[in-house]
Amino acid sequence: MSKDLAFGIDIGGSGVKGAVVDLKTGQFATDRVRIPTPQPATPKAVANTCKELIDQFDLPEDMPIGITFPAPVRRNVILFMANLDKSWEGVNVAKLMKKKLGRPVYAVNDADAAGYAEVVYGAAKGVDGLVIVTTLGTGIGTAMIYNGQLQPNTELGHLEINGKDAETRASAGVREKKGWSFEKWAKKLQEYYSHVEMLFTPDLFVVGGGVSKKHDKFLPLLDLKTEIVPAKLFNTAGIVGAAALAAKFCKDC
Ligand code: BGC
């Protein structure tokens, strides 16, 4: 197979999405396939969905596969799960997927994958120092990249702000649920980003997730000392980052 291709799967609360990625460009080399996330989204049910997904592609045996999970992943094990079925906690996801898919996979947190993709192909390409990528979706995912090196599993969406878990106050999902205007939501984002800025003094914030397509409606309302820019890969970043990380690290999978 071409060493410039890898497969990425992004597991989300509503859809499991996958595509072959061209690693030279960070673009999809095939159409993206999306299958609704099974409910309940147990490890077994989601592993079956991943199998159904890759069966729609004629993938060479040795193509690296990266899979994102909306949870911290340490040495392939999910530590806790905020927004998918709780039965994921303690599961070795690489082992589970390898058994189901019949090939080694690289398992990674969804925001880490998206952050990595932004550094290699997108808004943070060539940026020195500390970049914090946030994904605004059902939850808030974060990736911290220092001089191009990913520091995995930062979980800054769960910082406590005014006594509450930050993602339950400021995620895009909360905005939708509550029907907030962008102006109202921007006040919550202001609190969130000011807090992260004070704690980490990053050189750049990158804002991803589906809602980042509408960045002009909320990013200009934020008043920060740090440059804050929209992601370039929007919601392809998870798939692209997972594929790129798998290609880089799958020899050790
Ligand atoms: C999870 C993170 C994840 C983020 C976005 C949070 O609730 O704890 O691991 O990156 O949601 O999916």
Side-chain angles (χ1 to χ4, degrees):
M1 69 118 207
S2 159
K3 61 179 183 356
D4 293 325
L5 297 176
F7 197 79
I9 299 180
D10 193 17
I11 298 176
S14 58
V16 177
K17 294 143 280 180
V20 176
V21 175
D22 179 339
L23 301 170
K24 285 195 303 270
T25 61
Q27 312 265 324
F28 291 167
T30 59
D31 284 343
R32 185 193 76 150
V33 170
R34 178 185 187 278
I35 301 179
T37 306
Q39 301 300 336
T42 58
K44 196 168 165 218
V46 172
N48 285 336
T49 305
C50 290
K51 169 87 173 115
E52 197 188 316
L53 181 76
I54 70 159
D55 282 351
Q56 298 192 30
F57 297 81
D58 188 19
L59 301 182
E61 279 298 301
D62 58 348
M63 182 176 283
I65 299 187
I67 308 187
T68 76
F69 297 85
V73 184
R74 186 176 63 198
R75 294 188 205 107
N76 296 319
V77 177
I78 301 277
L79 298 189
F80 85 97
M81 182 58 89
N83 297 314
L84 220 58
D85 202 82
K86 298 282 174 224
S87 59
W88 283 92
E89 292 177 3
V91 172
N92 183 317
V93 285
K95 223 184 198 172
L96 168 81
M97 293 293 175
K98 186 174 178 186
K99 200 162 158 219
K100 190 74 216 172
L101 308 184
R103 13 163 126 233
V105 306
Y106 183 80
V108 60
N109 170 262
D110 56 1
D112 282 342
Y116 186 74
E118 289 297 332
V119 166
V120 178
Y121 305 105
K125 189 172 173 182
V127 176
D128 284 335
L130 180 63
V131 178
I132 297 185
V133 179
T134 56
T135 60
L136 302 175
T138 309
I140 297 181
T142 59
M144 244 191 217
I145 300 107
Y146 185 66
N147 288 344
Q149 290 287 325
L150 178 67
Q151 320 293 312
N153 298 320
T154 45
E155 293 295 318
L156 302 183
H158 298 294
L159 279 176
E160 194 178 302
I161 296 187
N162 292 341
K164 290 212 175 118
D165 187 291
E167 76 171 21
T168 65
R169 296 169 56 84
S171 73
V174 171
R175 182 186 95 84
E176 260 174 45
K177 222 190 280 163
K178 305 228 173 176
W180 287 340
S181 64
F182 280 104
E183 287 71 22
K184 173 135 198 213
W185 186 42
K187 295 205 170 85
K188 311 284 177 189
L189 292 177
Q190 177 69 46
E191 261 177 8
Y192 179 67
Y193 286 106
S194 309
H195 191 61
V196 177
E197 176 178 65
M198 183 273 288
L199 292 175
F200 296 100
T201 318
D203 293 280
L204 178 71
F205 280 121
V206 177
V207 180
V211 75
S212 61
K213 280 191 188 132
K214 299 189 181 148
H215 59 89
D216 53 328
K217 294 199 167 19
F218 60 96
L219 289 189
L221 305 179
L222 303 182
D223 181 16
L224 298 163
K225 299 184 192 93
T226 308
E227 189 184 357
I228 184 161
V229 298
K232 281 221 171 109
L233 285 87
F234 295 119
N235 50 0
T236 67
I239 292 176
V240 173
L245 283 161
K248 193 164 177 204
F249 294 114
C250 230
K251 13 184 193 324
D252 312 321
C253 286

